[in-house]
């Protein structure tokens, strides 16, 4: 997805931004930020905390500045991470508007403003460095509809459970056992591959291959959203969900393919709670299958000269794989997670990022030292890989939409990320983040790379 991307996602790597992103004028930059910060409290006052209401109004804004230190780079290609560059910045502002139409029917509408870009245009590292950049299709400020969908609950029991007012959630109750149908435009990672430790680059890890399963080429446009429907069976002992989604007409692009008979993605997930150390954790198993007008690595490698996978695109190609996702509380304040994902790697990456195998493990400490100003600390390691065909294609000088150094001395891409967060105010959190990347873009000839970031997050 473009990267990326609520994932998949989706960064728009076709419009690289290799330096400080600039709004058209500095005045525009600060006006946009100020309007969003100052106007939203007026909306949030309409929904006092804890009050029952058919409406829900929330807001978030995330500003990230990121920089990498110079590193060894004997050669580079079209999609390489630049060995030297200025810092990069990203901004997203989102309104979350929800309305309960009937007891079981809700509608959600999320307009979103995004601007900025990733380091080297979010290219050169398969586990891309800023998870917010996949929501950015253009370095200039752009306003788009992130989500517009209907959610319908069908009760399977009389017993109810409380739903708190939150972003894309209206305060009230839902049947404890239910079927939930979601249809419209939304992020498929809103419903699948959830993980309370590692899922949201606005508040958790920044790296793409930590915010989502790296090898899940999940359906999304450039900004990380899709059009489709999800059906879920939700019960205390098990949850099952299945989705049918549209996919882009071109890899990592914004326009969806209307030929849905030959271009679509299917996702199925089973979620089972379990108890370990007297604490309830969750295991999720996800499988996916996507068919689209994809290119084929083997066919591209048979070309004379430098292979170009875009010239091999045709309908009938498929990509499939799985994601195993475990999260487990270890104490009242400490939690851990493990993710393992795989795809067949025979066709080009279409929507998220160029990873065909991924294994990650990490931990989070939340709320243990709030009296000392520490709101949370996180640490994780992820190791990413690609298929033999994918590596041969890159070694022959081929380009994907994320990777392309012109050559390749293959090695697994390994990334460590640590993060420290402090709550400045009830609605504002400041986070310091550091990543260390071995073999960026699966290339032993380049790197390692040290990356630092500062993130400000407003949530109301």
């Amino acid at each position: 997805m473009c990267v990326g991307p609520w994932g998949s996602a989706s960064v728009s790597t076709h419009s690289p931004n290799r330096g400080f992103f600039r709004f058209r004028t500095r005045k525009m930059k600060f006006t946009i930020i100020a309007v969003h910060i100052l106007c939203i409290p007026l909306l949030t006052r309409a929904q006092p905390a804890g009050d029952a209401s058919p409406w829900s109004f929330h807001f978030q804004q995330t500003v990230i500045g990121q920089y990498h230190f110079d590193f060894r780079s004997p050669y580079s290609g079209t999609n390489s991470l630049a060995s030297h560059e200025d810092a990069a910045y990203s901004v997203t502002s989102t309104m979350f508007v929800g309305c309960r139409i009937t007891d079981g029917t809700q509608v959600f509408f999320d307009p979103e403003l995004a601007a900025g870009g990733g380091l080297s245009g979010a290219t050169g590292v398969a586990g891309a460095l800023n998870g917010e950049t996949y929501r950015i299709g253009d370095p200039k400020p752009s306003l788009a509809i992130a989500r517009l969908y209907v959610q319908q609950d069908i009760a399977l029991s009389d017993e109810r459970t409380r739903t708190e007012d939150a972003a894309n959630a209206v305060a009230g109750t839902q049947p404890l056992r239910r079927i939930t149908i979601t249809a419209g435009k939304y992020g498929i990672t809103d419903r699948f591959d959830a993980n309370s430790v590692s899922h949201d680059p606005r508040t958790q890890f920044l790296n793409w291959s930590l915010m989502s399963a790296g090898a899940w080429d999940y359906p999304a446009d450039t900004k990380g959203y899709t059009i489709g429907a999800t059906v879920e069976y939700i019960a205390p002992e098990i949850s099952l969900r299945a989705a049918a989604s549209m996919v882009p007409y071109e890899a990592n692009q914004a326009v969806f393919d209307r030929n849905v008979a030959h271009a679509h993605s299917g996702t199925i997930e089973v979620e089972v709670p379990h108890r370990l150390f007297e604490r309830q954790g969750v295991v999720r198993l996800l499988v996916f299958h996507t068919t689209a007008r994809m290119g084929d690595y083997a066919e591209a490698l048979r070309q004379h000269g430098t292979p170009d996978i875009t010239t091999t695109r045709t309908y009938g190609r498929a990509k499939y794989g799985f994601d195993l996702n475990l999260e487990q509380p270890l104490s009242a304040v400490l939690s851990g997670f493990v993710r393992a994902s795989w795809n067949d790697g025979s066709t080009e990456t279409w929507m998220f990022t160029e990873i065909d195998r991924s294994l990650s493990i990490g931990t989070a400490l939340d709320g243990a030292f709030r009296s000392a100003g520490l709101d949370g600390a996180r640490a994780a390691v992820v190791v990413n890989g690609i298929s033999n065909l994918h590596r041969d294609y890159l070694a022959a000088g081929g380009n994907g939409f994320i990777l392309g150094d012109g050559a390749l001395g293959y090695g697994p891409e390994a990334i460590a990320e640590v993060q420290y967060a402090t709550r400045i105010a009830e609605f504002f959190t400041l986070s310091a983040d550091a990543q260390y990347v071995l073999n960026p873009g699966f290339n032993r000839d380049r790197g390692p790379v040290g990356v630092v970031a500062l993130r400000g997050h407003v949530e109301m």
Side-chain angles (χ1 to χ4, degrees), residues 6 106 108 147 149-153 167-169 174 178-183 186-195 199 216 226 228-232 234 239-243 245 267-271 284 286:
W6 286 31
Q106 301 173 67
F108 297 95
R147 299 175 184 85
Y149 65 92
V150 177
Q151 182 175 300
Q152 177 68 52
D153 290 333
N168 293 326
Q174 288 180 295
R178 63 187 182 274
I179 292 174
T180 298
I181 301 171
T182 303
Y186 58 98
I188 197 167
T189 55
D190 298 346
R191 323 303 301 184
F192 291 82
D193 192 40
N195 190 299
H199 191 59
W216 179 25
T226 188
T230 297
V231 179
E232 302 174 80
I234 299 173
S239 294
L240 302 170
R241 51 188 62 92
S245 310
T267 311
I268 299 174
E269 184 179 65
V270 56
E271 175 181 312
R284 301 177 182 90
L286 177 153

Side-chain angles (χ1 to χ4, degrees), residues 150-168:
V150 177
Q151 182 175 300
Q152 177 68 52
D153 290 333
I154 301 172
L156 301 178
S157 69
D158 294 331
E159 191 175 359
R160 313 278 295 185
T161 183
R162 177 71 185 173
T163 301
E164 299 300 328
D165 179 58
N168 293 326

Side-chain angles (χ1 to χ4, degrees), residues 259-276:
N259 186 1
V260 293
H262 298 96
H264 56 265
S265 184
T267 311
I268 299 174
E269 184 179 65
V270 56
E271 175 181 312
V272 181
H274 69 272
R275 294 194 69 82
L276 186 64

Side-chain angles (χ1 to χ4, degrees), residues 38 58 64-65 81-82 85 93 137 189 217 293 307 321 324 346 354 396:
L38 295 176
H58 290 272
I64 298 171
L81 183 70
E85 61 180 313
S93 300
T189 55
D217 193 20
R293 200 179 59 93
L324 181 62
S346 61
E354 292 189 59

Side-chain angles (χ1 to χ4, degrees), residues 220-289:
D221 62 8
T222 316
K223 293 178 178 289
Y225 304 104
T226 188
I227 297 172
T230 297
V231 179
E232 302 174 80
Y233 168 77
I234 299 173
E237 65 277 5
I238 192 171
S239 294
L240 302 170
R241 51 188 62 92
S245 310
M246 295 183 71
V247 299
Y249 180 73
E250 301 277 355
N252 185 40
Q253 296 296 310
V255 178
F256 287 105
D257 195 331
R258 297 184 181 182
N259 186 1
V260 293
H262 298 96
H264 56 265
S265 184
T267 311
I268 299 174
E269 184 179 65
V270 56
E271 175 181 312
V272 181
H274 69 272
R275 294 194 69 82
L276 186 64
F277 310 125
E278 298 301 315
R279 298 183 183 277
Q280 182 168 299
V282 181
V283 176
R284 301 177 182 90
L285 177 63
L286 177 153
V287 294
F288 72 94
H289 182 277

